[in-house]
Amino acid sequence: PPRLLCLPPGCLALLLPPPGAAEFSPSLDSDFTFTLPAGRKECFYQPMRKEASLELEYQVLDGAGLDVDFHLLSPNGETLVFDERKSDGVHTVETEDGDYMFCFDNTFSTISEKVIFFELILDNMGEDGQDQEDWKKYVTGTDLLDMKLEDILESINSVKARLSKSVQIQTLLRAFEARDRNIQESNFDRVNFWSMVNLGVMVVVSAVQVYMLKSLFEDKRKSRT
């Protein structure tokens, strides 16, 4: 779980890896959902290697307006991406050695909190090349088997890439489904509220009309004695 470091004007959430890991899991695909209170800003850090790739996708799942400010900064503090009052976004950057910081800013909202989902996909983090070298250590007698290690690795990497893409798409679909469900539930509550208001107005108007019609047929003449 992230560790929150609260400093004015907001909080910094440090994405601390598990023991023995330098960053997110070597699976290269991690997602996170959190609640951003009104008037708050939270930032996350991701260590990256040189000539790697960082892809980040975020969505606002719930909250008034379904919008948030997003910032992505390089290790030297340079602003790489700035999204203002957006509900979702996808950004890919080529990285260098250092910690990349990305922030979600809800300081413009004084009432509504936001539920935010984001996913990180890391490429070329230096694991694939090592895996290929490990494979080569165990390959013997390839001439007798009439096969090439490169062909096996290419097939495995192709399957791995397709599976990773499938998992990514399923995760995004779940995020879209959650946001659409929240919108539908909000619309359902709003329709019920205004339906009750309209029903109350109709009852009042009906009562007034009956009273007015009744008063028209009343004999208001006073008999003289």
Side-chain angles (χ1 to χ4, degrees):
R3 178 180 300 171
L4 295 182
L5 174 62
C6 291
L7 297 172
C11 288
L12 298 180
L14 305 180
L15 291 180
L16 298 180
E23 58 275 318
F24 273 109
S25 170
S27 63
L28 307 179
D29 188 352
S30 299
D31 56 82
F32 192 59
T33 302
F34 69 101
T35 300
L36 181 59
R40 295 284 293 276
K41 174 181 178 181
E42 289 193 4
C43 296
F44 302 86
Y45 292 87
Q46 172 59 47
M48 294 298 297
R49 300 175 181 175
K50 187 177 181 180
E51 296 181 354
S53 175
L54 169 63
E55 180 179 346
L56 191 150
E57 175 162 355
Y58 69 90
Q59 296 181 33
V60 182
L61 302 182
D62 194 15
L66 294 177
D67 55 357
V68 72
D69 290 344
F70 173 78
H71 306 259
L72 176 61
L73 283 75
S74 66
N76 58 12
E78 179 185 358
T79 300
L80 302 178
V81 176
F82 173 63
D83 291 341
E84 184 177 7
R85 305 288 294 271
K86 288 191 176 182
S87 61
D88 56 72
V90 181
H91 303 287
T92 303
V93 295
E94 301 298 325
T95 63
E96 56 186 21
D97 289 331
D99 295 338
Y100 282 75
M101 181 176 72
F102 52 97
C103 302
F104 298 94
D105 190 349
N106 194 32
T107 55
F108 59 85
S109 178
T110 57
I111 300 177
S112 176
E113 64 181 17
K114 307 295 173 61
V115 178
I116 299 176
F117 162 85
F118 69 86
E119 181 179 20
L120 289 178
I121 301 175
L122 314 180
D123 291 328
N124 302 325
M125 292 296 288
E127 298 292 339
D128 292 341
Q130 184 64 36
D131 291 342
Q132 293 181 5
E133 294 297 328
D134 293 340
W135 271 90
K136 293 180 180 179
K137 293 179 182 179
Y138 298 98
V139 176
T140 58
T142 54
D143 294 337
L144 297 177
L145 297 176
D146 194 22
M147 63 175 58
K148 294 182 180 180
L149 174 62
E150 289 77 8
D151 295 337
I152 299 176
L153 290 177
E154 182 179 356
S155 299
I156 293 176
N157 290 333
S158 177
V159 173
K160 180 181 178 181
R162 292 171 184 263
L163 290 176
S164 299
K165 190 64 176 180
S166 299
V167 172
Q168 178 188 0
I169 293 175
Q170 291 176 356
T171 302
L172 294 179
L173 290 177
R174 287 197 300 268
F176 279 119
E177 188 272 337
R179 184 174 67 178
D180 293 341
R181 184 175 65 252
N182 291 332
I183 294 175
Q184 290 176 356
E185 291 177 353
S186 177
N187 291 337
F188 177 76
D189 294 337
R190 188 178 294 110
V191 169
N192 286 340
F193 172 77
W194 286 111
S195 296
M196 295 302 297
V197 171
N198 290 335
L199 179 60
V201 172
M202 291 176 61
V203 171
V204 173
V205 171
S206 300
V208 172
Q209 288 178 343
V210 171
Y211 174 79
M212 295 297 296
L213 289 174
K214 184 178 180 181
S215 64
L216 292 177
F217 293 96
E218 287 183 350
D219 187 4
K220 298 182 179 179
R221 292 178 301 175
K222 296 181 178 179
S223 59
R224 296 180 180 179
T225 60

